[in-house]
Amino acid sequence: MSCEMTTSTMLRDKLAYDETFSCVKCGYCLPSCPTYLAFGKESHSPRGRIQLVKLAAEGKIGIEDLENPIDYCLGCRACETVCPTNVEYGKILDSAIDVLGEYRKDKQSFSEKAIRTVIFKQALPNKKMLKLVGTGLRLYQKTKADKVVRKSGVINKVSPSLAAMEQITPTIEKPLARNPYHELPKKKKTKLKVAFFTGCIMDTFFSRVNDLSMKLLQKANCEVVFLKEQTCCGALHQHSAEKETAIKLAKHNIEAFEKLECDFIINAIGGCGAALVEYHHLFDPGSTWYERAKTFAEKNKDISYILSRLELPIVNTINRRITYQPSCHLTNVQKVVQEPMRLIEQIPGIEFARMKSQDLCCGSAGIYNIVHHEESMKILDMKMKTVQETKPHLIVTTNPGCHLQMILGVKREGLEGKIDVKHIVELLAEACDVS
Amino acid sequence: MKVTDEIIDRLKAAIHSSRILTDDADLYSFAFDASFGMHKPEIVCQPMSSKEVAAIVQIANQYLVPICPRGRGTSLSGGPLPVKGGIVLDFSLWDTKLEIDEENLVATVSPGVITSTINDAAQQFGLMYPPDPSSAHVSTIGGNLAENAGGPRGLKYGVTKDYVLGLEVVTAAGKIVRTGGKTVKNVTGYDLTKLIVGSEGTLAIITEATLRLIPRPKASMTAMVLFDEIIDSGRAISKVLGSGIMPSKMEMMDQSSIIAVEEYASLGLPIDVEAILLIELDGHPQALMEEMEQVKTVCMNVGARSVRVAQNKEEEMELWKARKLVSPAIVKIKPTKISEDATIPRSQIPEMFRRMKIIKEKYNIHLVVFGHAGDGNLHPNIITDQRDQEEMRRVEMAVEEIFKAAIELGGTLSGEHGIGTMKAPFMEMELGVDGLEMMKSIKEAWDPKNILNPGKIFPVQGERFELRNDY
């Protein structure tokens, strides 16, 4: 522990101490918390974590005591949605992540620091870098090297989590097909002018969903603008105690989009969208940046929010039974709950089968399924049980992380070929004959 | 005695080590419930069978280690807090048994089963498990049994104890004993079942329960009644119940809670009324229509401003929304909520309102009254900030006076939350010296070494009522 951190007043300032007092410890959050349900311990419940953060701020327990409870939190924030006293769990969690990050920085080895720098400061915000990774992956897939590697079992020996994720990495589309929309055709009679936020990981691995999103928006009579100057949203940084970089990226995006006059900024990524609508949380209330961030945040909307309010020219019937796995950040942070289901049910032929505990996180949670693979799989297994009860032909998702996790879940249950996984935009595109 | 390494080794032989918790983070997260105080256990065991419980209790009995059963820690009275340290027995994992016996109209459950799931399971057979504490979707049946939990439906259907036919318990000596059975009628010997229910884990540890189920009513109907005078709402309650109608719920909100809800959610409630009553009737659809007409007439006759009857399920939900929002709304004012449940005979409701108004002004506190008015189980809630020591002292005095008022009016300290640590200092006031002695003698007979949830129910000499945590 560094010296200045030892004083509890400092800790009380850094941790969201005041926010912990809103918790009346009623426990109503317990049934909504995937880690509490999966691990069966109060220390992995929202209520437990809140009390532990409070105790740490009071100096009654050490920062190291927060490590396990906080590290294993998915950050799905389902607890906020059910909380009867509106505890700002997200703020408490983020503050604990930051304090833990600082505490660990002193203990990090040189190589750990170097890896973090490359991932968070260079790779994620840098599309070229991600494209390079993407191209590499594509080559790897096209040359069938992936099959050789998979067969050899080398990866399994290195890390079971990476091995599992490697199996579900989607096919990367060739670079030329990835960015065809620097200039998008303007329609004469447009209802809304919207900018499109692509996201970095999304645009590397699911660029097709971004393409289809923009085409759907045009079909729904929107003028769509694509802004080259945009960068990574910074969500993963924020959740990994890289707040400084998160702030830098937020400022970059705010400045870029401020130059553009538009009604909304649309994205098709539940997780990034949640970071964008909370950009002001990164700044001090009352500051100029806080106000600018707030104005920016209010313009950001998920694609299903906007499409459900416009007229979609649906032409195709889709005769399939569908279940929906909501993105937690779309539900609990962006509060977009009914819209995706309304859109799904608009499509003729579809039988919508809502799964039990639909709002429970699937265990993907950013990079949780990589860093806490075993725990993530426990949560995924709970989820797949309820998925299977609905006997779906297709699982619809609203976020790339959930999407990959669902593919992994289907694979783990041996249901490949029987259950498909699609982003809601892909489903709507099919219904509207957009490709 | 302290939990030593030797005891931990013995416990590890009794129960799988993955269900024994000793990390500080774990211990501290089992140190609280929904009431006040922070008491860190020395060890947490998560048993999943009667045999495991018996083995753990035998060890505790041998080494004289306190042992505190706990469900999911939603208690509002400190029931599961390990005030003397020792072992917390966390039953939340043991939710494995939930069997509905359709022929005998009973459910058999393990202690960790979530209360609302019993009712859900019964529903599939057209049956109902009526007790409905507002935490039913979170709390365990074991905790409900230990505290004898109630709920809004208590008015018509009674509370947890009215639905327990039999128990399996582990005694302080670590023996597994069965009480009662599957029959409604049973007069063989003392009614130990009823004695154990509500004993807050101080007499024995409940490891299984046989619960009575009843046929589910076919329909329900809700009305919202507005009153210019709170006293009239009290009279309306008595008059409705005196007219031969037994509503399934009668919930009230006073003006402070109405204003709080309106500021919080703008539902369009009138903020100039002194009270709102929500009345739910259940039964056969045709009988309901007639009864609702009668309720309307009775309420208007005692001076209600208006009666609105929900015409469909959506409207019904809309009316109940106001009541549901009281809790989140009032904590917007100040974060700490002290939820009391002193209960009085129905006829004294108007008088109790009057006294609470005086207490509110005398101590200058934010007192909000809402709750299960129909059965006299008012919920005076004091909204404060636990960081404000001076105000907390005034709150403590106000709560004491609310207790005194309830007892003077022929009521009780607690309708459904239990005594735990919070109300122990007032036991003598309600029971008298001899009454309390009789209870103590039962405790001594059942648990001579005082290892079962020690420090609960009975006041220690000189113990005072305190809501303040140390900072």
Side-chain angles (χ1 to χ4, degrees):
Chain A
M1 202 187 295
S2 61
C3 308
E4 80 255 56
M5 293 282 288
T6 47
T7 55
S8 65
T9 40
M10 287 283 287
L11 258 185
R12 279 187 199 198
D13 288 344
K14 286 190 175 163
L15 289 167
Y17 180 61
D18 279 341
E19 280 77 0
T20 65
F21 281 85
S22 307
C23 174
V24 295
K25 301 173 288 172
C26 63
Y28 286 20
C29 51
L30 300 181
S32 77
C33 177
T35 54
Y36 174 74
L37 297 177
F39 312 154
K41 287 164 151 198
E42 189 77 49
S43 56
H44 290 295
S45 76
R47 173 174 72 169
R49 294 187 187 108
I50 292 165
Q51 294 313 309
L52 291 171
V53 168
K54 183 163 177 268
L55 289 169
E58 288 167 357
K60 289 177 185 157
I61 59 170
I63 297 169
E64 66 280 4
D65 291 320
L66 295 180
E67 284 196 285
N68 249 316
I70 297 297
D71 284 353
Y72 284 99
C73 175
L74 294 152
C76 71
R77 294 171 61 179
C79 49
E80 277 185 39
T81 299
V82 298
C83 178
T85 60
N86 299 312
V87 177
E88 293 176 280
Y89 179 79
K91 276 192 188 169
I92 298 171
L93 173 68
D94 285 345
S95 76
I97 290 172
D98 285 345
V99 165
L100 270 171
E102 246 178 78
Y103 164 71
R104 281 169 182 158
K105 251 171 210 163
D106 301 338
K107 302 207 308 191
Q108 257 170 26
S109 66
F110 178 74
S111 61
E112 262 179 288
K113 275 183 193 162
I115 290 169
R116 285 184 80 89
T117 310
V118 170
I119 293 177
F120 288 109
K121 299 207 171 121
Q122 292 165 9
L124 273 178
N126 188 332
K127 272 209 181 148
K128 269 190 203 146
M129 196 91 137
L130 272 177
K131 276 180 194 168
L132 211 64
V133 177
T135 312
L137 268 171
R138 194 174 58 85
L139 275 175
Y140 167 72
Q141 284 164 341
K142 291 275 165 177
T143 55
K144 312 279 185 213
D146 53 338
K147 293 216 170 113
V148 178
V149 174
R150 270 176 219 178
K151 269 192 188 154
S152 73
V154 170
I155 285 187
N156 285 321
K157 279 171 199 145
V158 181
S159 154
S161 64
L162 281 177
M165 296 318 290
E166 192 272 344
Q167 289 178 358
I168 53 154
T169 309
T171 316
I172 306 291
E173 282 138 42
K174 56 182 180 181
L176 268 179
R178 223 182 282 162
N179 288 325
Y181 42 76
H182 292 285
E183 281 170 34
L184 293 156
K186 281 181 193 169
K187 278 201 171 184
K188 273 184 190 160
K189 276 188 188 168
T190 52
K191 274 188 183 160
L192 294 169
K193 184 175 174 184
V194 300
F196 198 80
F197 184 87
T198 54
C200 46
I201 292 180
M202 182 80 167
D203 211 36
T204 307
F205 296 99
F206 295 96
S207 59
R208 204 177 94 86
V209 172
N210 278 343
D211 290 342
L212 292 174
S213 297
M214 287 188 265
K215 287 182 185 168
L216 275 173
L217 284 165
Q218 287 174 320
K219 276 254 176 185
N221 255 350
C222 293
E223 181 189 340
V224 185
V225 186
F226 172 73
L227 199 68
K228 266 195 288 187
E229 293 79 10
Q230 59 182 296
T231 185
C232 168
C233 70
L236 290 177
H237 303 82
Q238 211 189 331
H239 304 320
S240 309
E242 299 285 344
K243 196 173 173 186
E244 259 174 59
T245 314
I247 291 175
K248 218 183 261 174
L249 296 169
K251 284 183 174 173
H252 183 105
N253 277 326
I254 295 166
E255 271 177 339
F257 282 94
E258 270 173 351
K259 289 184 190 132
L260 191 73
E261 268 198 37
C262 62
D263 299 301
F264 294 109
I265 304 163
I266 308 298
N267 69 76
I269 325 150
C272 299
L276 297 171
V277 303
E278 286 194 336
Y279 259 6
H280 49 293
H281 289 188
L282 291 167
F283 305 99
D284 290 329
S287 65
T288 328
W289 271 109
Y290 180 88
E291 292 308 322
R292 286 171 77 179
K294 205 153 188 253
T295 313
F296 171 82
E298 280 159 9
K299 276 195 174 177
N300 279 274
K301 298 287 175 206
D302 185 76
I303 181 104
S304 37
Y305 173 90
I306 209 83
L307 288 182
S308 69
R309 283 163 175 79
L310 299 171
E311 260 173 59
L312 265 185
I314 295 175
V315 287
N316 291 333
T317 301
I318 300 177
N319 291 312
R320 305 183 89 180
R321 186 163 48 244
I322 290 185
T323 199
Y324 167 52
Q325 170 56 35
S327 143
C328 297
H329 283 179
L330 188 63
T331 306
N332 303 312
V333 182
Q334 299 195 63
K335 313 280 182 208
V336 174
V337 182
Q338 299 301 331
E339 287 88 341
M341 287 183 279
R342 274 211 296 269
L343 284 168
I344 293 169
E345 286 179 311
Q346 265 180 31
I347 303 170
I350 273 177
E351 184 192 337
F352 178 63
R354 190 189 168 110
M355 68 175 101
K356 224 164 65 187
S357 309
Q358 181 180 269
D359 294 336
L360 215 61
C361 177
C362 64
S364 158
I367 52 172
Y368 192 95
N369 53 2
I370 299 172
V371 289
H372 303 302
H373 189 68
E374 201 181 311
E375 290 73 16
S376 165
M377 291 306 107
K378 257 191 195 172
I379 294 161
L380 177 58
D381 291 346
M382 278 190 331
K383 176 54 72 181
M384 291 315 290
K385 230 182 182 174
T386 55
V387 166
Q388 287 205 57
E389 280 168 11
T390 66
K391 299 196 172 63
H393 303 118
L394 172 67
I395 308 169
V396 169
T397 66
T398 45
N399 182 59
C402 320
H403 194 100
L404 290 177
Q405 183 86 339
M406 284 295 103
I407 294 175
L408 182 58
V410 167
K411 196 179 162 65
R412 280 168 67 87
E413 303 288 330
L415 293 165
E416 284 164 302
K418 286 183 190 142
I419 302 181
D420 268 352
V421 180
K422 276 191 180 170
H423 190 284
I424 191 165
V425 163
E426 294 176 284
L427 179 72
L428 293 172
E430 192 184 331
C432 297
D433 223 0
V434 169
S435 58
Chain B
M1 182 173 161
K2 290 269 159 235
V3 176
T4 58
D5 287 346
E6 184 188 333
I7 296 172
I8 295 176
D9 285 342
R10 291 282 309 276
L11 288 171
K12 279 184 181 161
I15 170 176
H16 195 274
S17 60
S18 67
R19 289 185 276 117
I20 292 183
L21 314 177
T22 52
D23 281 356
D24 256 6
D26 281 323
L27 298 179
Y28 272 110
S29 43
F30 284 94
F32 57 83
D33 61 5
S35 72
F36 281 80
M38 184 66 95
H39 301 275
K40 186 185 163 195
E42 293 165 77
I43 191 166
V44 176
C45 297
Q46 301 179 299
M48 291 185 75
S49 74
S50 310
K51 272 191 184 156
E52 285 180 351
V53 175
I56 295 166
V57 176
Q58 281 161 20
I59 297 164
N61 186 44
Q62 185 189 338
Y63 292 94
L64 301 181
V65 177
I67 187 160
C68 307
R70 175 189 164 100
R72 271 174 152 189
T74 56
S75 172
L76 290 165
S77 59
L81 298 181
V83 292
K84 308 277 180 202
I87 304 166
V88 159
L89 269 191
D90 169 31
F91 282 102
S92 62
L93 296 185
W94 189 6
D95 61 354
T96 42
K97 188 171 190 179
L98 170 50
E99 291 167 6
I100 305 289
D101 177 347
E102 210 185 336
E103 265 178 61
N104 291 307
L105 300 183
V106 299
T108 309
V109 293
S110 55
V113 167
I114 306 298
T115 310
S116 66
T117 62
I118 302 171
N119 193 34
D120 293 345
Q123 194 167 6
Q124 293 167 17
F125 298 93
L127 300 171
M128 156 161 98
Y129 174 69
D132 60 342
S134 58
S135 58
H137 63 298
V138 186
S139 62
T140 64
I141 186 67
N144 283 190
L145 290 161
E147 299 289 328
N148 191 9
R153 281 206 287 243
L155 170 65
K156 179 171 183 175
Y157 294 103
V159 296
T160 303
K161 73 167 181 227
D162 301 310
Y163 293 88
V164 192
L165 297 175
L167 293 174
E168 181 195 79
V169 297
V170 172
T171 67
K175 289 186 180 134
I176 300 172
V177 172
R178 284 196 166 269
T179 73
K182 274 194 171 187
T183 60
V184 173
K185 292 182 175 176
N186 181 335
V187 292
T188 309
Y190 294 140
D191 192 346
L192 299 183
T193 309
K194 286 271 194 316
L195 177 62
I196 294 162
V197 174
S199 67
E200 307 193 20
T202 60
L203 298 181
I205 294 166
I206 298 166
T207 48
E208 190 179 287
T210 307
L211 306 169
R212 187 165 69 95
L213 305 173
I214 60 169
R216 177 170 292 272
K218 286 198 169 59
S220 67
M221 215 173 189
T222 298
M224 180 182 265
V225 193
L226 309 182
F227 292 92
D228 289 321
E229 309 265 343
I230 195 163
I231 305 286
D232 291 340
S233 72
R235 283 169 50 214
I237 291 167
S238 304
K239 291 279 179 201
V240 168
L241 292 167
S243 70
I245 295 170
M246 183 54 84
S248 44
K249 296 177 189 170
M250 275 184 128
E251 298 279 302
M252 73 92 59
M253 292 165 64
D254 75 348
Q255 195 168 16
S256 313
S257 41
I258 299 166
I259 293 172
V261 168
E262 266 313 290
E263 278 173 3
Y264 178 71
S266 323
L267 299 181
L269 302 172
I271 51 172
D272 58 336
V273 292
E274 273 193 6
I276 290 179
L277 271 189
L278 280 160
I279 302 176
E280 184 194 87
L281 304 176
D282 69 358
H284 193 279
Q286 272 160 354
L288 284 186
M289 299 289 273
E290 204 183 305
E291 286 183 0
M292 194 49 100
E293 274 310 309
Q294 213 175 324
V295 167
K296 248 182 176 172
T297 315
V298 171
C299 287
M300 292 311 285
N301 283 348
V302 295
R305 182 192 287 186
S306 68
V307 181
R308 186 183 151 201
V309 180
Q311 297 304 316
N312 49 48
K313 282 284 152 205
E314 285 78 49
E315 280 187 39
E316 199 171 303
M317 269 160 68
E318 201 187 306
L319 294 185
W320 282 105
K321 196 175 176 192
R323 169 66 180 86
K324 284 216 167 83
L325 287 178
V326 174
S327 283
I330 56 179
V331 291
K332 276 272 159 192
I333 304 165
K334 281 181 186 180
T336 309
K337 188 176 87 159
I338 290 144
S339 178
E340 285 309 334
D341 71 327
T343 303
I344 43 170
R346 255 176 229 131
S347 59
Q348 299 285 9
I349 290 175
E351 174 60 16
M352 190 66 181
F353 279 144
R354 200 184 62 81
R355 295 212 188 179
M356 282 196 286
K357 206 173 163 188
I358 297 169
I359 295 169
K360 179 180 175 173
E361 279 156 19
K362 180 173 170 191
Y363 294 102
N364 187 25
I365 46 161
H366 206 105
L367 178 67
V368 179
V369 185
F370 61 96
H372 324 318
D375 52 16
N377 186 193
L378 298 172
H379 283 301
N381 273 252
I382 299 171
I383 309 306
T384 177
D385 188 332
Q386 54 180 308
R387 286 161 288 193
D388 184 344
Q389 297 275 328
E390 187 273 328
E391 184 171 275
M392 287 303 278
R393 207 160 39 246
R394 275 186 282 128
V395 170
E396 283 168 8
M397 289 189 285
V399 173
E400 275 197 64
E401 237 172 271
I402 292 173
F403 287 150
K404 274 185 197 143
I407 290 169
E408 274 168 27
L409 296 177
T412 179
L413 290 172
S414 177
E416 57 187 11
H417 295 171
I419 299 301
T421 50
M422 302 255 301
K423 290 168 205 156
F426 304 102
M427 284 289 270
E428 199 179 302
M429 184 163 81
E430 178 170 338
L431 301 170
V433 178
D434 295 336
L436 193 59
E437 271 314 308
M438 286 307 289
M439 284 197 187
K440 276 187 185 162
S441 65
I442 293 174
K443 167 74 177 170
E444 277 154 24
W446 282 62
D447 179 23
K449 295 179 185 171
N450 195 26
I451 57 164
L452 295 179
N453 212 5
K456 303 297 164 63
I457 300 187
F458 302 108
V460 184
Q461 194 106 46
E463 188 174 340
R464 274 204 71 252
F465 176 62
E466 235 177 67
L467 292 168
R468 279 161 290 172
N469 293 322
D470 57 318
Y471 288 102

